[in-house]
Amino acid sequence: MIEHRPFETLGKANFGWLNANHHFSFGHYRDAKRQAWGKLRVWNDDEIAAGTGFDPHPHRDMEIITYVREGAITHRDNLGNQGRTEAGDVQVMSAGSGITHAEYNLEPVTTRLFQIWIETDQVGAKPSWGAKAFPREAREAGFEILASGRPGDAGGDALPINADAAVMAATLKAGQTLVQSIALGRAAYLVPATGAVTVNGLALKARDGAAIRDEREITVTAEADAELVLVEVAA
C-alpha cells in the first residue's frame, strides 16, 4: 500500500521568516489521519529566511535528523556543540534526557531543509549531536544511508541514531530506475526533494510524500532529474 500525500495537502504555517509544510501533525496543524507513520513522527519541509532562525528551545527523547536541501543551517546547543550544515549534508541530534539548541540561517539566501523526527528506542539516553557531509555524487542511482540505528548498519559511514530506523537519499537522472527492498514489518516514507518520479507506478512531484507499508519492494523511476529522501522505520 502506498498513500500519496501531495504537497498541496500538507499542513501549512507561514510566520514570515519561516514557511513550514508538515507531512504529519505538528504545531498548530492537527490531522488525526497523519499523526505518525510507524516510528516516524515528524517530517517538516521548512523554508527559513536569511538571517533568521529558531531561538534556543528544548527537546527530549527524540531522534531529530536535518537534511539541508538549499543554503545552510547553523546549530548551537547547551552541550557546547556548534556546526554549519550545508546543502546535501545531514545533522543528527539525539535529544535523549534533554538538550536545548538553536538553529539559525546565517546565510544571505533562504535555507530549505527537511527536518525528520523519529521516536527513540533509548528513553533517557545521553544527548548528542553530529553532522556529516554526504556528496550527492556518491548516491547516484542508489540509496545511500545517511543516518541509521538499524543493527545491520552499525560500523558503516552513516551518522548514528538511537532508533531502529534509517534515513537514506538517492539522486536519479531522468529515465533511471532503482529498486529498494523493504523488510517485512517495516514502513517507509519517501519524498522527492526535487524532480518527479513514479513509485510502483504512482506519480510524485517534488515535495510530495509517499507513505509506504506492506510493500516488499519499491521501484522508483525518475520522470525528471530527482533527489530523493527515504526513511525506513519499524511499522
Side-chain angles (χ1 to χ4, degrees):
M1 183 274 285
I2 303 179
E3 178 188 335
H4 184 198
R5 298 185 178 181
F7 177 75
E8 296 79 11
T9 70
L10 303 184
K12 309 292 182 184
N14 193 325
F15 303 99
W17 65 274
L18 171 67
N19 182 19
N21 302 276
H22 307 305
H23 286 263
F24 299 94
S25 291
F26 188 88
H28 297 294
Y29 168 60
R30 290 287 181 265
D31 185 338
K33 296 180 180 178
R34 295 186 180 181
Q35 292 294 327
W37 193 250
K39 291 283 189 174
L40 175 60
R41 179 62 189 83
V42 169
W43 190 310
N44 289 343
D45 179 331
D46 288 343
E47 298 179 351
I48 305 166
T52 69
F54 300 91
D55 290 329
H57 57 282
H59 293 282
R60 65 181 302 124
D61 292 327
M62 191 69 69
E63 307 301 310
I64 300 175
I65 302 96
T66 302
Y67 180 92
V68 183
R69 295 159 46 217
E70 298 177 33
I73 196 75
T74 296
H75 165 99
R76 299 190 186 105
D77 65 43
N78 65 322
L79 302 180
N81 297 308
Q82 180 170 331
R84 177 178 176 273
T85 306
E86 300 180 347
D89 300 338
V90 175
Q91 69 173 18
V92 165
M93 188 173 71
S94 292
S97 59
I99 190 170
T100 298
H101 78 138
E103 293 175 295
Y104 295 112
N105 175 13
L106 303 180
E107 314 305 311
V109 298
T110 298
T111 288
R112 295 178 172 86
L113 55 81
F114 293 146
Q115 191 166 90
I116 296 160
W117 296 17
I118 299 170
E119 295 176 12
T120 190
D121 291 340
Q122 297 182 29
V123 174
K126 182 179 178 180
S128 63
W129 175 87
K132 189 173 180 180
F134 289 95
R136 287 183 168 104
E137 311 81 61
R139 54 177 106 131
E140 293 181 353
F143 280 106
E144 180 182 19
I145 302 171
L146 309 178
S148 178
R150 298 183 305 190
D153 297 331
D157 294 330
L159 287 161
I161 57 175
N162 297 321
D164 182 8
V167 179
M168 297 167 266
T171 58
L172 292 176
K173 297 292 186 183
Q176 284 186 317
T177 294
L178 65 81
V179 177
Q180 177 70 22
S181 62
I182 301 173
L184 187 67
R186 311 289 287 182
Y189 200 88
L190 173 71
V191 180
T194 61
V197 300
T198 61
V199 181
N200 289 5
L202 173 68
L204 299 180
K205 308 185 303 299
R207 303 163 78 182
D208 285 1
I212 303 160
R213 183 175 275 147
D214 299 326
E215 299 279 343
R216 295 307 302 269
E217 66 178 25
I218 54 172
T219 300
V220 184
T221 300
E223 303 302 316
D225 291 358
E227 179 179 359
L228 311 171
V229 180
L230 175 71
V231 173
E232 190 229 58
V233 295

